């Protein structure tokens, strides 16, 4: 059966309704709740039938069409086959998912067997994008256009369950079709709202001198991702070049992380021109393409202290995390994640470069691990940045006694600082705040904060939305906390209370609520050895070849407690990159040290 993609939603619905009536597919309903991840709505679905889903147990990187596992796309049932596309010389089929948990879940698969672990080809992306556009262009009785979320899982650690190449589609309107979903929107739609990433990897991995598709990343999310915009008139080559570019960025991130974590024995897979060398998730809509590198398929969910931290089981994740949804298969998991929303945040963070997962969910961010390599050259060449001129300028202004010193932070000064051409992107306000804190001028910090929340992180005078204001508040607080080991805790206390006095309640993170840094979890629920190891790794990367000598000198300072103090500060304070990245943390250190020099 070969048909065009005209009126694709009607075609899928008719086939789905008929297959369901004939019991050719088995729909499993889910309980749905919304939780918050870094301030963004995330669907949590409880689906006991998920435990019955087939999983890929063959850990070999080589696949064969003669796999013992039945291939659902080789000769699909006529009840499930929607159509073959394109019309002329069809290369792909559209087929219904036999075990959906979202209504009208369907799949694009290659007609001939091709490996799921191979890189996507131009025709795969083009056909998928045509499906997305066909769905969106279909007339709709509602004023809201129809929308599909397409996703692709590739590799052992990606959550893929079939070796035959396929891209999956979920109708967004069906994901929203529940009262409990009110307030949720597709996560991938938000990812382009993040700031463009710095051009770091081209220096580290010899990428092309010019980066044609500057990727974006949403800073508050706890997992690494690279997102690029898709023009509505994207050509097949446009799609393919963006995909290959994102894949190259993901491989570069994986390499840097693996080099920095030799104890984890992470290696790139062997590959020819067709095979992927890493596991990854890919998401696609009519407006964006997102990639998320992976190093493990799941993470262990543990109960809190109320249940003695017992293991509730592994939570597997695939590319649907990029839609902002996660399914669990036991009631215990469902209840625990609803009871403590920080557990989902930490699952996603671990899903990055910590213990079990590597991405998608980012290491307190993978992006940070890329920036680790940037840190050394940044510190060496710090005078090329504006941090030193800024800190020096404020230092000169504040050398007088705080009692007699007149106010010095003016709108004109802040405008000059914010627009400084060499200042690291979106860092001016927390660098200024740290400098003022170390100089013991907490009374000036509210002026910096209020100026930032009124005008935004960038250098355009547009009042930011609540999400950006919240990011500003959290980064300002975290910078002042991280300045405490440098400038002293009393100064940090004064600075934070001065900041709180002018912070609207909606921008505060109160005790027993959501913690953007997850430090309470790290203190009470995570083994201290893991946190101290993270801190030592951070310390080693900052001090590089002399790290052992520096730490050894502190251990032999007359009391080994100095070395222990340093390890605790780096472990629990400085190496936590949930709010401030590794590079931003280095800005804090420089801004705190320079005024004391």
């Amino acid at each position: 059966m070969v048909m065009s993609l005209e009126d694709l939603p009607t075609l899928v619905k008719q086939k789905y309704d008929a297959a369901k009536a004939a019991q050719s597919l088995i729909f499993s309903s889910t309980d749905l709740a919304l939780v918050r991840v870094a301030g963004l709505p995330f669907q949590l679905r409880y689906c006991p039938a998920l435990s019955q889903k087939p999983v890929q147990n063959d850990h070999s990187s080589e696949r064969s069409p003669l796999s013992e596992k039945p291939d659902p796309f080789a000769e699909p049932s006529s009840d499930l086959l929607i159509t073959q596309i394109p019309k002329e010389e069809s290369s792909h089929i559209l087929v219904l998912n036999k075990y959906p948990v979202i209504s009208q879940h369907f799949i694009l698969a290659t007609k001939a067997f091709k490996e799921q672990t191979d890189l996507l080809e131009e025709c795969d992306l083009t056909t998928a994008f045509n499906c997305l556009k066909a769905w969106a262009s279909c007339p709709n009785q509602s004023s809201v256009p129809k929308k599909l979320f397409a996703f692709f899982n590739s590799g052992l650690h990606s959550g893929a369950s079939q070796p035959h190449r396929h891209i999956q589609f979920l109708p967004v309107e069906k994901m929203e079709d529940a009262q409990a979903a009110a307030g949720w929107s597709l996560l991938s739609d938000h990812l382009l709202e993040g700031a463009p990433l710095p051009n770091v990897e081209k220096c580290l991995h010899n990428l092309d001198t010019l980066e044609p598709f500057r990727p974006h990343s949403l800073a508050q999310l706890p997992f690494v991702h690279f997102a690029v915009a898709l023009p509505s008139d994207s050509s097949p080559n446009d799609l393919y070049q963006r995909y290959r570019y994102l894949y190259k960025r993901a491989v570069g991130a994986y390499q840097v992380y693996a080099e920095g974590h030799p104890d984890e024995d992470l290696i790139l897979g062997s590959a020819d021109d067709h095979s992927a060398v890493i596991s990854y998730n890919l998401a696609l809509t009519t407006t964006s393409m997102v990639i998320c590198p992976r190093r493990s398929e799941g993470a262990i969910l543990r109960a809190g202290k109320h249940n003695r931290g017992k293991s509730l089981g592994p939570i597997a994740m695939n590319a649907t995390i990029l839609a902002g949804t996660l399914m669990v298969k036991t009631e215990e998991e469902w209840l625990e994640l609803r009871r403590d929303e920080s557990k989902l945040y930490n699952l996603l963070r671990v899903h990055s470069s910590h213990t079990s997962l590597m991405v998608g969910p980012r290491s307190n961010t993978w992006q940070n691990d890329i920036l680790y390599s940037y840190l050394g050259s940044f510190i060496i060449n710090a005078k090329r940045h504006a941090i030193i001129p800024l800190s020096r300028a404020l230092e000169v202004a504040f050398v007088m006694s705080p009692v007699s010193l007149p106010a010095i932070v003016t709108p004109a000064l802040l405008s000059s600082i914010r627009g400084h051409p060499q200042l690291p992107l979106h860092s001016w306000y927390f660098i200024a705040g740290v400098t003022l804190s170390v100089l013991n001028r907490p009374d000036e910090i509210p002026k910096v904060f209020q100026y930032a929340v009124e005008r935004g992180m960038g250098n355009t005078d547009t009042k930011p939305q609540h999400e950006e204001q919240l990011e500003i508040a959290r980064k300002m607080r975290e910078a002042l906390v991280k300045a405490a080991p440098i400038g002293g805790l009393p100064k940090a206390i004064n600075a934070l209370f001065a900041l709180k006095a002018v912070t609207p309640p909606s921008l505060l993170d109160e005790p027993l609520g959501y913690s953007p840094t997850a430090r309470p979890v790290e203190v009470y629920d995570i083994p201290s050895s893991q946190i101290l190891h993270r801190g030592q790794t951070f310390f080693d990367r900052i001090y590089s070849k002399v790290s052992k000598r520096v730490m050894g000198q502190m251990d032999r300072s007359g009391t080994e407690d100095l070395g222990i103090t340093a390890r605790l500060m780096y472990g629990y304070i400085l190496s936590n990159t949930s709010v401030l990245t590794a590079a931003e943390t280095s800005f804090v250190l420089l801004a705190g040290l320079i005024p004391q020099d």
Side-chain angles (χ1 to χ4, degrees):
M1 175 174 57
V2 179
M3 300 178 67
S4 71
L5 292 178
E6 294 178 6
D7 203 11
L8 181 61
T10 300
L11 184 63
V12 171
K13 183 182 185 304
Q14 290 175 347
K15 198 71 178 181
Y16 177 85
D17 290 344
K20 187 176 180 181
Q23 298 185 336
S24 298
L25 61 77
I26 302 171
F27 175 78
S28 299
S29 61
T30 60
D31 291 329
L32 172 64
L34 285 191
V35 296
R36 291 272 164 180
V37 174
L40 296 170
F42 214 93
Q43 288 189 357
L44 181 64
R45 292 177 179 268
Y46 167 41
C47 180
L50 194 64
S51 61
Q52 306 301 317
K53 181 182 176 182
V55 296
Q56 185 58 263
N57 294 320
D58 181 1
H59 289 195
S60 168
S61 61
E62 297 182 359
R63 301 287 184 197
S64 165
L66 300 178
S67 168
E68 295 180 4
K69 189 174 184 178
D71 182 351
F73 311 126
E75 295 182 2
S77 162
S78 59
D79 288 348
L80 301 178
L81 179 63
I82 300 170
T83 187
Q84 300 180 33
I85 48 177
K87 267 185 175 183
E88 304 296 332
E89 300 181 1
S90 56
S91 57
H92 293 76
I93 59 171
L94 291 180
V95 60
L96 294 171
N97 185 337
K98 188 172 183 177
Y99 303 101
V101 295
I102 301 293
S103 178
Q104 298 178 38
H105 179 173
F106 68 100
I107 297 166
L108 172 73
T110 56
K111 285 184 69 175
F113 180 88
K114 293 185 178 181
E115 299 283 358
Q116 186 77 358
T117 51
D118 282 356
L119 293 173
L120 290 171
E121 298 172 42
E122 186 176 288
C123 61
D124 299 320
L125 292 163
T126 302
T127 307
F129 194 61
N130 287 340
C131 289
L132 295 172
K133 291 196 297 182
W135 193 276
S137 64
C138 182
N140 188 13
Q141 294 179 353
S142 168
S143 59
V144 179
K146 287 180 174 289
K147 188 167 191 174
L148 280 178
F149 174 77
F151 63 100
F152 178 70
N153 306 310
S154 180
L156 175 64
H157 306 308
S158 68
S161 60
Q162 293 291 340
H164 188 141
R165 189 185 306 168
H166 62 288
I167 297 172
Q168 303 184 60
F169 296 92
L170 295 174
V172 175
E173 59 266 25
K174 297 301 179 182
M175 301 175 75
E176 298 171 327
D177 190 17
Q179 185 175 356
W184 175 86
S185 58
L186 200 62
L187 178 61
S188 60
D189 285 347
H190 294 284
L191 300 184
L192 292 175
E193 298 169 6
L197 296 180
N199 299 330
V200 174
E201 287 135 304
K202 67 182 181 184
C203 303
L204 300 177
H205 298 286
N206 299 317
L207 296 188
D208 298 336
T209 302
L210 296 176
E211 297 189 59
F213 317 116
R214 187 83 176 270
H216 293 246
S217 180
L218 204 57
Q220 67 261 40
L221 285 176
F223 57 88
V224 81
H225 55 278
F226 303 106
V228 294
L230 294 180
S232 58
D233 59 349
S234 294
S235 69
N237 185 62
D238 290 337
L239 295 169
Y240 186 67
Q241 291 303 320
R242 281 170 169 78
Y243 164 68
R244 290 303 299 259
Y245 174 74
L246 288 178
Y247 172 75
K248 189 183 293 185
R249 294 285 304 225
V251 171
Y254 187 99
Q255 286 178 302
V256 172
Y257 180 84
E259 290 164 5
H261 298 76
D263 55 312
E264 296 188 27
D265 294 325
L266 297 172
I267 58 173
L268 294 176
S270 58
D272 50 30
D273 291 339
H274 305 293
S275 302
V277 297
I278 62 168
S279 295
Y280 66 94
N281 298 129
L282 186 78
L284 193 66
T285 67
T286 55
T287 57
S288 67
M289 185 184 295
V290 187
I291 200 166
C292 179
R294 298 286 299 269
R295 68 178 171 88
S296 181
E297 183 179 359
I300 298 296
L301 174 65
R302 296 188 180 277
K305 291 185 291 184
H306 68 286
N307 207 1
R308 298 184 178 181
K310 80 167 187 175
S311 172
L312 301 181
I315 304 294
M317 304 178 213
N318 63 18
T320 56
I321 61 167
L322 297 175
T325 184
L326 175 71
M327 296 191 194
V328 296
K329 58 187 178 183
T330 72
E331 187 175 13
E332 278 188 308
E333 295 166 349
W334 160 254
L335 294 175
E336 183 65 25
L337 289 172
R338 294 176 65 197
R339 185 190 68 80
D340 184 354
E341 292 187 354
S342 68
K343 292 290 178 70
L344 178 54
Y345 180 94
N346 285 294
L347 282 175
L348 293 174
R349 185 176 62 173
V350 167
H351 172 29
S352 179
S353 59
H354 273 327
T355 48
S356 62
L357 260 165
M358 172 144 153
V359 260
R362 82 171 136 170
S363 128
N364 278 11
T365 101
W366 266 28
Q367 181 183 337
N368 300 343
D369 291 297
I370 299 169
L371 292 174
Y372 273 133
S373 298
Y374 181 53
L375 268 177
S377 61
F378 171 80
I379 293 172
I380 292 170
N381 299 299
K383 289 187 179 180
R384 296 180 183 176
H385 292 258
I387 295 176
I388 288 180
L390 167 58
S391 295
R392 289 295 188 203
L394 292 173
E395 180 185 0
V396 169
F398 300 144
V399 290
M400 299 169 58
S401 164
V403 175
S404 60
L405 182 67
I408 192 67
V409 173
T410 64
L413 176 62
L414 292 175
S415 177
S416 174
I417 293 171
R418 184 176 63 146
H420 198 293
Q422 291 182 300
L423 199 66
L425 189 66
H426 297 164
S427 63
W428 64 273
Y429 59 97
F430 67 78
I431 291 174
V434 167
T435 304
L436 292 166
S437 175
V438 172
L439 290 167
N440 202 23
R441 288 303 307 268
D443 54 306
E444 296 289 315
I445 291 175
K447 299 177 185 178
V448 178
F449 174 72
Q450 290 171 326
Y451 190 91
V453 295
E454 285 296 320
R455 292 168 175 80
M457 293 184 285
N459 56 8
T460 59
D461 285 327
T462 302
K463 185 168 183 177
Q465 297 295 315
H466 177 266
E467 290 77 9
E468 184 178 344
Q469 291 180 328
L470 183 60
E471 183 179 352
I472 290 169
R474 286 174 171 168
K475 285 194 172 188
M476 191 78 150
R477 288 193 291 266
E478 179 69 353
L480 295 174
V481 168
K482 286 189 169 183
I486 305 301
L489 186 59
K491 291 179 180 178
I493 292 172
N494 291 338
L496 284 163
F497 274 95
L499 177 61
K500 182 180 179 182
V502 297
T503 302
S506 63
L507 301 182
L508 294 173
D509 295 309
E510 295 293 2
L512 304 180
Y514 166 73
S515 170
T517 64
R519 281 199 182 95
V521 175
E522 293 184 348
V523 170
Y524 297 112
D525 292 342
I526 296 179
S528 60
S529 59
Q530 182 179 328
I531 304 301
L532 293 174
H533 174 74
R534 181 186 71 188
Q536 185 65 53
T537 301
F538 189 94
F539 182 87
D540 290 344
R541 285 170 181 158
I542 288 180
Y543 286 91
S544 188
K545 295 180 180 179
V546 300
S547 64
K548 289 185 179 179
R549 186 177 71 192
V550 173
M551 187 62 78
Q553 288 172 340
M554 287 191 284
D555 289 336
R556 296 187 297 274
S557 64
T559 170
E560 62 181 359
D561 290 356
L562 179 59
I564 291 174
T565 300
R567 290 178 176 91
L568 289 170
M569 289 191 308
Y570 273 88
Y572 284 94
I573 304 300
L574 297 176
S575 68
N576 183 314
T577 50
S578 298
V579 174
L580 293 178
T581 68
E584 289 170 336
T585 299
S586 76
F587 306 159
V588 169
L589 297 178
L590 287 168
L593 288 170
I594 292 166
Q596 302 179 75
D597 186 1

